Amino acid sequence: MKRNKNIILTLICGVAVFSSCNKFLDEEPDMRTDINTVEKVAQLVGSAYPGYDYLAMSETYSDNAVDKGPNVGHNNEPFVSLYNWKDIVDDGTNTPTQYWKTCYEAINNANQALAAIEEYHMGAEANPYKGEAMIARAYSHFMLVTFFAQAYEIGKANSSPGIPYILKPETDVLPKYERGTVASVYENIQKDLEEGITLLEGGVWQVPKYHFTPAAAHLFASRFFLFKGDWDKVIAHANLAVPNGAYLTYLRPWNTTLRNYTSEEFRTELTKADKNYNILLANTYSTYQRSNVGGNPRFGFGTAIFNGVYNKTTACGAPFYNKGLRWSDNNYTTYVFKEYFYYTNVAAGIGYPYIMQPLFIADEGLMNRAEAYIQKGDFTNALKDLNEFVSVRVVNYNSTTHAVTAEKSKTYFNVSDDKDALLKTVLQFKQIGWLCEGMRWFDILRHRIPVVHNHIDVSGAETFETLSPEDPRRVFQIPQESTLAGIELNPR
């Protein structure tokens, strides 16, 4: 079977115009090797993951970013437009268009692998890679529907437009695509995810942390069902993501091992594949570290967030330990990411910047489970999970002094309802725990949290703008060239 250049990449990704699509796909069909063995399928599935990250999008759009003022930092795009919730036509680094394209490239590779397995009747030996391809396909579609369609609402019809769900390689000339609905996209994601998980056992991966192993698939499932509001499935999958559902030794050891690292050791070690807490890693082309949390943007991680969120005393009665620091006026770094530069010409000093991005860490499974317990009214188990999270985040942790309780949370957040207080506690712990890692936007969508951005003019006057849950700008705009494939843009 020859791998045909996918039309959805031409029309949705604009591969005929732009040059950033996967190098493997840039080869002409007659130059490609037939994907006719299990080994070749396994290699192909390894490219079924997005090659660019969503960090600039999700962080700059969220309440983790502030305007530091006209005299601080750079005003480079796309950060200015992202902070102001404006549509971006450009397809360059850190843009929504780039992320849209890389997800469909990943989907195309997954579909090519699945088609090869079927065509060559590879049988049970290929099952783990078939399962991986299905889950990888589900993941990219999930990320696309999360960013480019209205947020899923639990118990609602979710009949608003979704995104095209592509189930096979395309060979037709100028096909048309339909977005379906958010509900139909979720149905397809769930089908791929649940079937794929059943096929993973027995898979052998050279570096498992770069693949949807059973652990990574169950963590993804816990996130997906959290969005869907199926609390029992969240708990079940979170329990299967680590042995016996026991998370303590799989959490990032902030107040022990990580605390003893130098800053350089910290950013080198945190995203390594040999760490228990890293469940799925992606090697992504990215300038996020240099442009945002390692750079000096006007709109980004500033003093108001560093002091008012990152180092703030939490509902447990103490702040969380972190490695964040100020390296110039109003500019901060979390040191979570380290850029690796791949030289294509050492003499000329040119090449490509990459970061190793954790797509799933064990900490998320614990917090997903805690939220599901809260939603079910099982506060006892929720508090166990919350306190386990605190135990690795607070310096000189004391199980009595730093215990999370419903009463403490109600007092801290000035609310009267136990459930409301504990949900706010989960959201606070996650915002601080994964600041600058792109996770906050998911909670903003799920909980319909308004986002407030400040704006400082040249005179120093400060105004504020709110992105409400109903604001259409909360949905990123689909690339303009997608209209050639019959895909309608999001309303504005």
Side-chain angles (χ1 to χ4, degrees), residues 21-292:
C21 282
N22 190 294
K23 293 178 183 178
F24 196 75
L25 296 178
D26 287 340
E27 300 178 18
E28 292 304 313
D30 58 2
M31 295 174 64
R32 300 177 193 154
T33 303
D34 284 344
I35 308 301
N36 55 8
T37 68
V38 173
E39 182 181 3
K40 291 175 182 177
V41 165
Q43 292 174 348
L44 177 57
V45 175
S47 65
Y49 298 81
Y52 296 85
D53 64 63
Y54 53 84
L55 298 168
M57 294 166 53
S58 56
E59 285 294 314
T60 314
Y61 243 57
S62 79
D63 52 10
N64 285 343
V66 294
D67 181 356
K68 306 171 189 178
N71 298 316
V72 179
H74 67 69
N75 283 287
N76 297 342
E77 290 290 357
F79 298 99
V80 176
S81 292
L82 288 170
Y83 186 80
N84 287 281
W85 305 311
K86 292 183 177 179
D87 293 347
I88 299 169
V89 176
D90 181 42
D91 75 322
T93 304
N94 299 311
T95 63
T97 295
Q98 183 190 68
Y99 192 68
W100 171 275
K101 292 194 296 183
T102 195
C103 284
Y104 275 114
E105 291 163 22
I107 291 164
N108 179 65
N109 286 353
N111 284 335
Q112 295 284 2
L114 291 167
I117 290 170
E118 181 178 354
E119 179 172 343
Y120 288 102
H121 308 288
M122 294 184 185
E125 185 184 359
N127 277 351
Y129 313 108
K130 178 179 180 180
E132 181 186 358
M134 294 179 74
I135 296 167
R137 178 171 72 183
Y139 173 76
S140 285
H141 282 111
F142 173 75
M143 298 302 288
L144 286 165
V145 77
T146 299
F147 284 115
F148 296 98
Q150 289 186 22
Y152 187 94
E153 291 192 63
I154 298 168
K156 301 292 182 64
N158 295 297
S159 56
S160 58
I163 48 92
Y165 204 98
I166 310 302
L167 293 168
K168 58 183 179 181
E170 292 293 346
T171 57
D172 297 336
V173 177
L174 300 179
K176 297 296 181 181
Y177 295 96
E178 295 182 358
R179 293 181 59 174
T181 65
V182 171
S184 69
V185 173
Y186 265 65
E187 289 170 4
N188 280 312
I189 292 169
Q190 185 169 342
K191 183 178 184 299
D192 270 348
L193 180 55
E194 292 184 330
E195 183 178 346
I197 285 176
T198 67
L199 300 172
L200 288 176
E201 289 299 333
V204 178
W205 296 275
Q206 186 174 3
V207 185
K209 296 295 180 70
Y210 299 160
H211 301 270
F212 268 117
T213 60
H218 285 299
L219 260 185
F220 171 32
S222 77
R223 181 190 294 180
F224 172 73
F225 288 112
L226 197 68
F227 268 79
K228 209 174 176 199
D230 193 331
W231 315 124
D232 288 333
K233 287 188 177 181
V234 173
I235 295 166
H237 285 287
N239 285 338
L240 291 168
V242 299
N244 302 311
Y247 274 88
L248 186 58
T249 59
Y250 285 81
L251 302 177
R252 286 175 172 174
W254 282 93
N255 56 6
T256 53
T257 306
L258 298 184
R259 186 185 178 202
N260 294 324
Y261 285 152
T262 65
S263 294
E264 183 60 30
E265 289 171 336
F266 175 80
R267 67 181 187 147
T268 299
E269 294 290 322
L270 194 64
T271 56
K272 281 188 173 180
D274 62 354
K275 306 304 180 186
N276 275 357
Y277 43 81
N278 289 327
I279 307 300
L280 179 63
L281 296 167
N283 186 27
T284 60
Y285 178 99
S286 178
T287 61
Y288 177 69
Q289 174 63 27
R290 68 168 70 171
S291 300
N292 196 328

Side-chain angles (χ1 to χ4, degrees), residues 301-489:
F301 186 24
T303 302
I305 301 300
F306 189 77
N307 292 334
V309 177
Y310 200 43
N311 289 309
K312 184 179 182 180
T313 295
T314 69
C316 78
F320 287 173
Y321 175 75
N322 61 65
K323 285 280 187 182
L325 55 85
R326 187 182 80 166
W327 61 273
S328 67
D329 184 37
N330 217 351
N331 295 308
Y332 296 83
T333 179
T334 58
Y335 267 123
V336 171
F337 301 111
K338 179 178 181 177
E339 181 181 302
Y340 299 90
F341 196 81
Y342 174 75
Y343 285 97
T344 54
N345 187 321
V346 176
I350 58 176
Y352 301 105
Y354 289 87
I355 63 171
M356 191 63 68
Q357 181 190 3
L359 298 183
F360 291 96
I361 59 174
D363 302 52
E364 181 185 352
L366 179 71
M367 298 305 283
N368 290 348
R369 187 173 71 183
E371 181 171 342
Y373 280 137
I374 294 167
Q375 296 286 6
K376 286 171 59 68
D378 185 351
F379 300 153
T380 299
N381 277 316
L383 286 167
K384 287 180 182 178
D385 284 349
L386 289 169
N387 281 301
E388 193 164 279
F389 190 75
V390 169
S391 74
V392 299
R393 291 303 309 232
V394 173
V395 176
N396 299 320
Y397 169 74
N398 182 292
S399 61
T400 300
T401 306
H402 302 125
V404 180
T405 68
E407 290 303 318
K408 281 176 67 173
S409 290
K410 285 191 292 186
T411 299
Y412 182 92
F413 292 107
N414 192 27
V415 297
S416 59
D417 180 71
D418 287 4
K419 181 177 179 180
D420 185 23
L422 292 178
L423 285 175
K424 283 181 166 59
T425 301
V426 167
L427 294 176
Q428 181 190 57
F429 286 4
K430 290 171 71 177
Q431 183 177 17
I432 298 172
W434 307 321
L435 196 76
C436 295
E437 296 187 56
M439 298 289 288
R440 174 64 173 171
W441 185 246
F442 302 148
D443 287 339
I444 287 170
L445 292 176
R446 289 192 306 109
H447 288 273
R448 296 176 58 79
I449 300 170
V451 178
V452 178
H453 279 177
N454 69 315
H455 299 280
I456 302 174
D457 67 20
V458 291
S459 71
E462 187 174 31
T463 57
F464 297 88
E465 183 180 9
T466 299
L467 187 71
S468 70
E470 294 76 24
D471 196 313
R473 295 175 298 171
R474 283 168 78 100
V475 181
F476 287 88
Q477 187 56 276
I478 288 173
Q480 292 285 335
E481 60 265 29
S482 300
T483 59
L484 296 174
I487 301 171
E488 69 271 24
L489 301 181

